[in-house]
Amino acid sequence: QVQLVESGGGLVQPGESLRLSCAPSGSRLEWYAVGWFRQAPGKEREGILCSTNDGGSTIIRNSVKGRFTISRDNAKNTVYLQMNSLKSEDGGVYYCAAGPDCGLAQGVWKYWGQGTQVTISS
């Protein structure tokens, strides 16, 4: 079974940037679509961005358009989420997930990481 590990979360002030990483054990991410999801306190987990296995990307949440970017480095077997101009509403636990394609409902994504905390505070 594929094991995913997210890293790069932390405490930042509004307007700052973070880059999250998603790396697997036991498989190559280039074989999968990879999605980034966020769960804010008291809210349901929601999709943010998705990268198809051919390198394309899909914007799931319009609130991150122009600020967040998903990218792949197949040589490093890692998918990144670059988050710029962070706002308080961006806080929460960020998860990466791997699956066959970016059109899946959340319950269908097969492999999930443990999550990494992103806190936006002054």
Side-chain angles (χ1 to χ4, degrees), residues 1-7 21-25 29 33-39 45 93-99 106 109-117:
Q1 185 173 359
V2 177
Q3 300 287 326
L4 301 177
V5 178
E6 303 96 335
S7 62
S21 300
C22 176
S25 297
L29 286 182
V34 176
W36 284 97
F37 300 80
R38 177 179 65 211
Q39 186 166 22
R45 185 175 58 200
V93 178
Y94 282 73
Y95 300 87
C96 67
Q106 287 192 40
W109 287 83
K110 186 173 179 64
Y111 305 112
W112 292 84
Q114 82 289 345
T116 185
Q117 178 72 46

Side-chain angles (χ1 to χ4, degrees), residues 6 28 56 79 94 119:
E6 303 96 335
R28 301 289 303 181
V79 174
Y94 282 73
T119 302

Side-chain angles (χ1 to χ4, degrees), residues 29 32-38 46-61 64 68-72 79-81 95-106 109 112:
L29 286 182
Y32 298 93
V34 176
W36 284 97
F37 300 80
R38 177 179 65 211
E46 61 183 12
I48 303 299
L49 286 170
C50 187
S51 173
T52 60
N53 59 7
D54 64 0
S57 64
T58 300
I59 298 173
I60 306 299
R61 196 66 49 184
V64 309
F68 289 13
T69 303
I70 191 169
S71 62
R72 290 176 179 260
V79 174
Y80 302 99
L81 179 65
Y95 300 87
C96 67
D101 62 69
C102 287
L104 298 172
Q106 287 192 40
W109 287 83
W112 292 84

Side-chain angles (χ1 to χ4, degrees), residues 3-23:
Q3 300 287 326
L4 301 177
V5 178
E6 303 96 335
S7 62
L11 174 65
V12 298
Q13 296 182 353
E16 294 183 337
S17 299
L18 281 175
R19 188 181 71 169
L20 307 183
S21 300
C22 176

